[in-house]
Amino acid sequence: MPSNPPLYELQKARLQAYAHAGYNFDPDKAADYTPATGWRVDDYETELPAEAPGPAEPHGAWAAAREVLRNYTFPPPGLITGIFLPDQPLDQRVMVLRGRFLLFTFWFGVRIGGVTDEIRTLPDGRREQVWGYNYRTLEGHFERGQIEFTVHKDLATGRVWFHIHAYSQTGHIGNPFYWLGFKLFGRMLQKRFANESVRRLREQVEEMLRKGWASPAAEQAPRIRATSSHKDAAEQLEENR
């Protein structure tokens, strides 16, 4: 009996369509996106298990958080599911996000806008090891903006933490029913996404450490959710351009 093709193969056409979509905002003007100009700016943070001072441990909390971030397993699955090609380099990744609330299901495209992997020296002289990435909204998304996920380690104290930084604004929504639903529930869902994401990442890191964490093999990567029975994504992209 022939085996079914990998689920991400079934989604290649949709992913490729979003790969050619443009941003629905100008990332080069990020400095102008402030509450004073009508943008929401949000920061969320959670503590992770501390390590010994010095560089991140190979199988400690910092490295475990990096794996959770890379595999995008931390968002609440009842709210957001990410679909992407697992062998695509992170800095080239395009994702289709499936969002759900009430009886609605929405499909959005985002693109990784940058990957951070560095030792930072702060103004007070402290040094921290930082890894993470941001993604940016594409045409058809109900929001405009960028969200960044980073894991940090203070090299002097061993403190480890996860941080989310985002700026966003409601985008163009052509469908009046979607517009009303997003106006009523969008901000609440945005906060829920962030709060549950920091909680889930912390819990996943703690579980990995309890089980004697080691870097997972490629074949153990999370399954990519199939959406071949849904045509809403392409229709929504076209409708909201």
Side-chain angles (χ1 to χ4, degrees):
M1 179 180 295
S3 59
N4 293 326
L7 293 175
Y8 62 83
E9 290 284 350
L10 300 177
Q11 302 309 312
K12 270 192 173 180
R14 177 171 289 127
L15 288 164
Q16 288 171 355
Y18 276 108
H20 298 291
Y23 294 127
N24 61 359
F25 73 108
D26 186 351
D28 293 334
K29 296 182 178 179
D32 298 331
Y33 302 148
T34 67
T37 58
W39 289 72
R40 293 180 294 269
V41 179
D42 295 307
D43 288 277
Y44 300 84
E45 194 168 285
T46 189
E47 295 290 319
L48 299 176
E51 300 180 2
E57 299 170 5
H59 299 119
W62 189 93
R66 181 181 59 187
E67 292 303 302
V68 173
L69 287 175
R70 195 192 305 275
N71 292 327
Y72 202 69
T73 58
F74 58 95
L79 185 61
I80 291 289
T81 299
I83 304 166
F84 56 91
L85 299 176
D87 58 351
Q88 188 175 44
L90 179 60
D91 60 355
Q92 300 173 23
R93 180 182 294 178
V94 171
M95 291 197 293
V96 174
L97 303 181
R98 181 189 66 185
R100 289 176 167 176
F101 76 94
L102 299 179
L103 301 177
F104 297 101
T105 298
F106 303 102
W107 303 90
F108 305 120
V110 298
R111 181 181 298 120
I112 301 297
V115 176
T116 299
D117 186 5
E118 63 184 12
I119 302 293
R120 290 180 183 171
T121 299
L122 304 181
D124 62 3
R126 290 184 298 114
R127 300 172 71 237
E128 61 182 37
Q129 188 169 352
V130 186
W131 189 92
Y133 58 87
N134 67 64
Y135 62 64
R136 298 165 175 171
T137 56
L138 300 175
E139 295 170 321
H141 204 298
F142 286 176
E143 291 183 318
R144 304 192 301 150
Q146 173 180 294
I147 186 167
E148 182 179 41
F149 310 102
T150 49
V151 57
H152 303 246
K153 179 179 180 180
D154 186 310
L155 299 184
T157 67
R159 178 188 173 222
V160 180
W161 68 98
F162 170 51
H163 188 86
I164 296 177
H165 175 72
Y167 58 83
S168 63
Q169 185 182 70
T170 301
H172 171 71
I173 305 176
N175 185 305
F177 295 103
Y178 289 170
W179 177 86
L180 179 60
F182 199 79
K183 182 176 179 62
L184 293 175
F185 300 106
R187 182 58 172 163
M188 176 188 71
L189 295 172
Q190 191 178 53
K191 292 181 177 180
R192 177 184 160 196
F193 168 82
N195 285 317
E196 292 194 20
S197 290
V198 296
R199 175 185 60 81
R200 283 174 53 82
L201 183 135
R202 182 181 66 248
E203 291 175 350
Q204 289 180 37
V205 167
E206 291 172 346
E207 181 178 11
M208 291 169 73
L209 296 179
R210 282 198 304 271
K211 292 182 176 180
W213 178 84
S215 181
E219 60 269 18
Q220 296 175 332
R223 294 185 61 193
I224 307 304
R225 297 295 300 271
T227 58
S228 56
S229 61
H230 299 280
K231 60 182 180 179
D232 303 14
E235 294 176 352
Q236 182 173 305
L237 174 61
E238 187 62 32
E239 177 180 297
N240 288 289
R241 276 180 169 167

